[in-house]
Amino acid sequence: MPFYDLKCKCGEVFNKMASISDKENRRIKCPKCGSNELETVYLSVNVVKSGNSDNVRCPNIDRCGGCCPHG
Ligand SMILES: [Zn+2]
Protein backbone atom coordinates (compact mmCIF):
# COMPACT_ATOMS: atom_id res chain seq x y z
CA MET A 1 0.00 0.00 0.00
CA PRO A 2 1.24 3.47 -0.77
CA PHE A 3 2.00 5.94 1.94
CA TYR A 4 0.45 9.34 1.65
CA ASP A 5 1.37 12.67 3.13
CA LEU A 6 -1.90 14.49 3.50
CA LYS A 7 -2.97 17.93 4.48
CA CYS A 8 -6.41 18.66 5.79
CA LYS A 9 -8.38 21.83 5.21
CA CYS A 10 -8.01 22.47 8.94
CA GLY A 11 -4.25 22.66 8.50
CA GLU A 12 -3.41 19.30 10.02
CA VAL A 13 -0.67 17.49 8.14
CA PHE A 14 -0.32 13.78 8.67
CA ASN A 15 0.74 10.69 6.86
CA LYS A 16 -1.29 7.61 6.32
CA MET A 17 -0.85 4.29 4.65
CA ALA A 18 -3.92 3.59 2.58
CA SER A 19 -4.98 1.89 -0.60
CA ILE A 20 -5.54 3.92 -3.73
CA SER A 21 -9.27 3.17 -3.60
CA ASP A 22 -9.40 4.39 -0.01
CA LYS A 23 -7.86 7.64 -1.13
CA GLU A 24 -9.99 8.01 -4.25
CA ASN A 25 -13.17 7.27 -2.35
CA ARG A 26 -12.18 9.74 0.36
CA ARG A 27 -12.17 7.12 3.06
CA ILE A 28 -9.12 8.67 4.68
CA LYS A 29 -10.04 11.07 7.42
CA CYS A 30 -8.17 13.73 9.28
CA PRO A 31 -7.16 12.46 12.73
CA LYS A 32 -7.78 15.89 14.16
CA CYS A 33 -11.14 17.02 12.82
CA GLY A 34 -12.42 13.96 10.98
CA SER A 35 -12.79 15.70 7.65
CA ASN A 36 -12.06 13.84 4.44
CA GLU A 37 -11.25 16.97 2.48
CA LEU A 38 -7.57 16.26 2.17
CA GLU A 39 -4.94 17.20 -0.30
CA THR A 40 -1.82 15.21 -0.98
CA VAL A 41 1.42 16.90 -0.13
CA TYR A 42 4.93 15.62 -0.60
CA LEU A 43 6.94 16.12 2.54
CA SER A 44 9.74 13.78 1.64
CA VAL A 45 10.92 15.67 -1.41
CA ASN A 46 14.53 16.58 -0.97
CA VAL A 47 15.01 20.29 -1.19
CA VAL A 48 18.46 20.98 -2.48
CA LYS A 49 19.77 24.39 -1.73
CA SER A 50 22.18 25.75 -4.26
CA GLY A 51 24.61 28.61 -4.18
CA ASN A 52 26.35 27.96 -0.87
CA SER A 53 28.69 25.27 -2.05
CA ASP A 54 30.99 27.58 -3.90
CA ASN A 55 34.39 26.15 -3.13
CA VAL A 56 36.61 28.20 -5.36
CA ARG A 57 40.14 27.26 -4.55
CA CYS A 58 42.67 30.00 -4.40
CA PRO A 59 45.30 29.36 -7.09
CA ASN A 60 47.97 30.46 -4.60
CA ILE A 61 46.72 28.27 -1.77
CA ASP A 62 50.08 26.59 -1.28
CA ARG A 63 51.67 29.98 -0.80
CA CYS A 64 49.02 31.99 1.02
CA GLY A 65 47.10 29.23 2.79
CA GLY A 66 43.87 30.25 1.09
CA CYS A 67 43.56 33.54 2.95
CA CYS A 68 44.43 35.92 0.15
CA PRO A 69 41.53 38.00 -1.18
CA HIS A 70 41.13 35.88 -4.27
CA GLY A 71 37.93 36.35 -6.22
ZN1 LIG B 1 -8.62 18.31 9.82
Side-chain angles (χ1 to χ4, degrees):
M1 266 194 277
F3 200 72
Y4 297 107
D5 292 322
L6 298 161
K7 184 178 183 184
C8 177
K9 62 174 183 176
C10 77
E12 180 78 356
V13 178
F14 60 100
N15 40 48
K16 181 98 176 168
M17 192 177 286
S19 68
I20 292 168
S21 66
D22 275 352
K23 185 173 183 293
E24 286 185 346
N25 292 310
R26 293 183 172 271
R27 284 197 289 254
I28 307 171
K29 289 183 178 177
C30 171
K32 190 176 179 185
C33 72
S35 170
N36 63 356
E37 292 183 46
L38 308 169
E39 62 178 289
T40 307
V41 294
Y42 297 95
L43 300 177
S44 51
V45 175
N46 290 321
V47 179
V48 179
K49 289 183 180 177
S50 61
N52 282 334
S53 57
D54 202 15
N55 291 321
V56 179
R57 267 177 78 92
C58 176
N60 301 318
I61 194 161
D62 55 353
R63 271 185 280 156
C64 73
C67 60
C68 74
H70 170 70

